[in-house]
Amino acid sequence: PDAQLLQTQFTQPALLAVSLGALEAVRANYPDFMRHVVVTAGHSLGEYGALVAANVIDAPTAAKLVEARSRLMAEAQS
C-alpha cells in the first residue's frame, strides 16, 4: 500500500531494489558496458547501488546494510 511504501523502512529497500534491477538490466543488455566504467558514485542511499556496481559489495550485503539503515532511521524518527 502507498502509505506503507512511504515509510522509510520500506522506501529505502524498495529504492535499492529498483537501482539494482536497473543495474542488472544494463549488465544483461549491454554486457560490455561495465568494462568501460571507471568510476561509480551515489548520493546517500544511492551509494549502496554504486558500491554494488563497482563490485565493492554484493547485492545481499547491500540489502542487509540498507535494511539496517532504514530501520535505524525509522527508529530515530519515532
Side-chain angles (χ1 to χ4, degrees):
D2 288 348
Q4 189 176 25
L5 189 56
L6 292 174
Q7 297 172 27
T8 193
Q9 69 267 31
F10 302 109
T11 304
Q12 291 185 38
L15 287 170
L16 177 66
V18 170
S19 296
L20 296 181
L23 174 62
E24 288 308 309
V26 169
R27 286 179 173 168
N29 290 296
Y30 305 98
D32 293 332
F33 179 80
M34 295 306 289
R35 286 190 335 185
H36 304 288
V37 174
V38 294
V39 66
T40 64
H43 173 69
S44 191
L45 182 63
E47 293 175 37
Y48 297 91
L51 290 169
V52 173
N55 294 314
V56 174
I57 61 174
D58 60 14
T61 300
K64 288 177 188 174
L65 292 170
V66 168
E67 186 280 325
R69 176 186 196 265
S70 63
R71 181 176 32 80
L72 292 169
M73 288 179 72
E75 289 173 9
Q77 292 174 348
S78 298

